[in-house]
Amino acid sequence: MFNWLDYLAKLLVTQVFGLEMESKLGSSIHFFVYDTIKIVILLSIMIFVISYIRSYFPPEKTKRILAKFKGIKGNIMASLLGIVTPFCSCSSVPIFIGFVEAGVPLGLTFSFLITSPIVNEAAFIILLGLFGWKLAVVYVITGVIVGVLGGLIIGKMKMEKHVEEYVYKMDVAQIDPDELTINERISFSLQNVKDIVKRIWLFLIIGIGIGAAIHGWVPEDFLAQYAGENNPFAVILAVACGIPLYSNAMGTIPIAQALIGKGVGTGTALAFMMAVTALSAPELILLRKVIKPKLIVWFVIVTGIGILLTGYLFNFIGHLLM
Amino acid sequence: MLIKILGGGCKNCQNLHKNTLEALETLGVEAEVVKVEEINDIMAYGVMKTPALVIDEEVKVMGRVPKAKEITKILKEYI
């Protein structure tokens, strides 16, 4: 799909810069140019498609659908809707309140809150673009399973008293959002593409720069030895490193790609990306407005264990799916 | 006409505010534009996804940032 780009990047390296493709500098420049353009194209297309689908699922509608479900079926539904319902972290508080007010059980709300960030377009694109659709689909399914199990556990623990009291007393109006026209959906999707690309381009370039450096200079076996599939601590370390990073979520794509290319386990790289997006410090600070510390701690523990297990699972079976 | 911008104050809310002022200027219409940042007040409108544009207590747009041109069209109904 990107042969033309590969060809153009090679031309740039050999004809414009006059470098050998085999040289360290040449292969790094090729990697940098090729990857920057490829990722921006893939990202723009995917964000557009996903945003368009998402425009059909405003949270007000999601809330009403979920209020009708109970038990594990509800958790599954909540996780699936978590994939298609759009929300940025600044909306997580009103969404949480809206769900609780509508009588959506706490466990279902958490299934939604866990899956929504985990299964994100960035992770999906890296997997689809680099390893094919099989691994990408398994990743989405795993994200749903983590959300369903996490929500089930939190639901079973009867944590309702660890929600701030004011949430239950809040006066929430019921509104029916107007159906958007096709033009509005397209403009919403284009807006998303523009916003996300504008927000991440710098991180992307820095990330690809680091990736290119790793690509050209770090010896083949160095990373494989320390963070390869056989190192059981690599996944734990990756999750611990991922939590404090937030705005760099998209910038981690090229780094993860370069790392995987150098022998870091697929699961390790995935666990890192999941931790960056699902367990970010700003998200936890926002959630603190509506839930008490004890429930936040359990949210981190349950989600963290889910991500760790996903990491180990992918390190174990990842190569079967490629 | 009373216009309210609902949202916690993130980038999107600021953009909506900016676009709204731009639309008002294009139309040459005077209106009171208020920012609503308190979560209780936002929920009172039933809005779960910010930012939202409320005109004369009616929620017109939510969860996205319409361009000034689109807002101009919405505002025209109220003039």
Side-chain angles (χ1 to χ4, degrees):
Chain A
M1 174 178 174
F2 285 101
N3 288 340
W4 59 273
L5 185 60
D6 187 44
Y7 178 75
L8 286 179
K10 272 185 186 138
L11 272 188
L12 181 79
V13 170
T14 51
Q15 304 303 315
V16 179
F17 291 118
L19 293 162
E20 294 286 328
M21 268 310 291
E22 287 72 29
S23 70
K24 277 181 182 162
L25 188 61
S27 86
S28 284
I29 291 177
H30 174 264
F31 178 85
F32 184 77
V33 172
Y34 175 73
D35 261 55
T36 309
I37 300 174
K38 184 176 94 174
I39 289 176
V40 168
I41 295 174
L42 276 177
L43 211 57
S44 302
I45 297 172
M46 288 300 296
I47 294 168
F48 184 87
V49 172
I50 292 170
S51 302
Y52 196 86
I53 297 171
R54 283 180 168 177
S55 73
Y56 285 90
F57 292 93
E60 292 79 10
K61 200 155 137 193
T62 303
K63 170 184 87 174
R64 275 203 306 275
I65 300 174
L66 278 184
K68 290 181 203 136
F69 284 85
K70 290 217 161 47
I72 188 165
K73 262 190 214 151
N75 290 90
I76 294 170
M77 200 61 198
S79 278
L80 291 175
L81 286 166
I83 300 174
V84 292
T85 304
F87 87 95
C88 63
S89 51
C90 45
S91 289
S92 55
V93 168
I95 287 183
F96 183 89
I97 296 173
F99 277 25
V100 170
E101 271 304 315
V104 176
L106 206 55
L108 268 61
T109 304
F110 272 94
S111 282
F112 177 87
L113 285 176
I114 294 170
T115 305
S116 188
I118 283 187
V119 182
N120 69 44
E121 50 264 57
F124 189 74
I125 291 159
I126 178 174
L127 292 172
L128 188 73
L130 300 171
F131 306 111
W133 62 270
K134 268 195 256 172
L135 201 73
V137 168
V138 174
Y139 170 72
V140 172
I141 294 170
T142 315
V144 170
I145 293 172
V146 170
V148 169
L149 291 181
L152 274 177
I153 293 169
I154 287 174
K156 279 270 182 294
M157 287 177 15
K158 301 264 177 276
M159 304 286 279
E160 277 76 7
K161 59 181 179 298
H162 295 288
V163 173
E164 294 287 352
E165 283 83 13
Y166 80 90
V167 172
Y168 294 113
K169 298 191 188 114
M170 191 102 64
D171 194 14
V172 181
Q174 301 298 323
I175 47 169
D176 227 342
D178 287 337
E179 279 294 317
L180 298 173
T181 63
I182 287 177
N183 273 339
E184 281 166 345
R185 289 184 206 283
I186 290 174
S187 122
F188 166 78
S189 309
L190 284 176
Q191 193 72 40
N192 270 352
V193 172
K194 226 168 80 187
D195 281 353
I196 294 178
V197 172
K198 215 159 90 187
R199 209 169 60 221
I200 61 146
W201 69 270
L202 189 62
F203 294 119
L204 202 62
I205 286 182
I206 294 172
I208 295 172
I210 295 173
I214 294 174
H215 197 77
W217 275 278
V218 177
E220 206 57 54
D221 300 330
F222 179 79
L223 282 167
Q225 196 182 338
Y226 291 103
E229 288 171 9
N230 298 324
N231 181 351
F233 295 107
V235 178
I236 296 177
L237 204 68
V239 170
C241 291
I243 297 174
L245 299 170
Y246 170 64
S247 47
N248 302 7
M250 296 274 183
T252 56
I253 304 175
I255 300 179
Q257 178 189 357
L259 291 176
I260 292 171
K262 285 291 175 183
V264 169
T266 320
T268 308
L270 274 185
F272 175 67
M273 294 186 66
M274 282 178 153
V276 168
T277 49
L279 288 175
S280 69
E283 173 91 17
L284 296 179
I285 292 167
L286 280 173
L287 278 179
R288 175 65 193 90
K289 284 187 186 167
V290 277
I291 55 182
K292 292 176 185 167
K294 198 175 168 194
L295 183 48
I296 296 212
V297 170
W298 278 107
F299 169 66
V300 173
I301 292 173
V302 168
T303 311
I305 291 174
I307 293 173
L308 286 177
L309 292 178
T310 306
Y312 287 115
L313 177 80
F314 271 81
N315 276 349
F316 199 62
I317 60 156
H319 60 278
L320 298 175
L321 297 167
M322 284 193 246
Chain B
M1 177 164 36
L2 175 63
I3 299 174
K4 289 183 179 173
I5 313 284
L6 315 187
C10 67
K11 195 81 205 294
N12 286 336
C13 317
Q14 290 165 18
N15 287 342
L16 180 63
H17 186 243
K18 206 184 78 199
N19 292 356
T20 307
L21 294 182
E22 210 179 302
L24 283 170
E25 209 182 276
T26 317
L27 290 168
V29 175
E30 292 278 327
E32 194 183 349
V33 182
V34 190
K35 280 189 190 173
V36 178
E37 297 189 348
E38 202 45 54
I39 182 75
N40 295 40
D41 302 333
I42 295 175
M43 298 307 294
Y45 287 96
V47 168
M48 286 163 73
K49 208 183 154 241
T50 55
L53 178 69
V54 177
I55 304 174
D56 288 342
E57 300 305 308
E58 197 181 337
V59 181
K60 296 305 286 185
V61 177
M62 56 187 177
R64 60 194 184 92
V65 182
K67 293 207 182 78
K69 217 169 117 192
E70 193 188 332
I71 302 175
T72 313
K73 222 186 275 170
I74 299 170
L75 285 174
K76 271 185 186 153
E77 296 168 28
Y78 287 84
I79 303 172

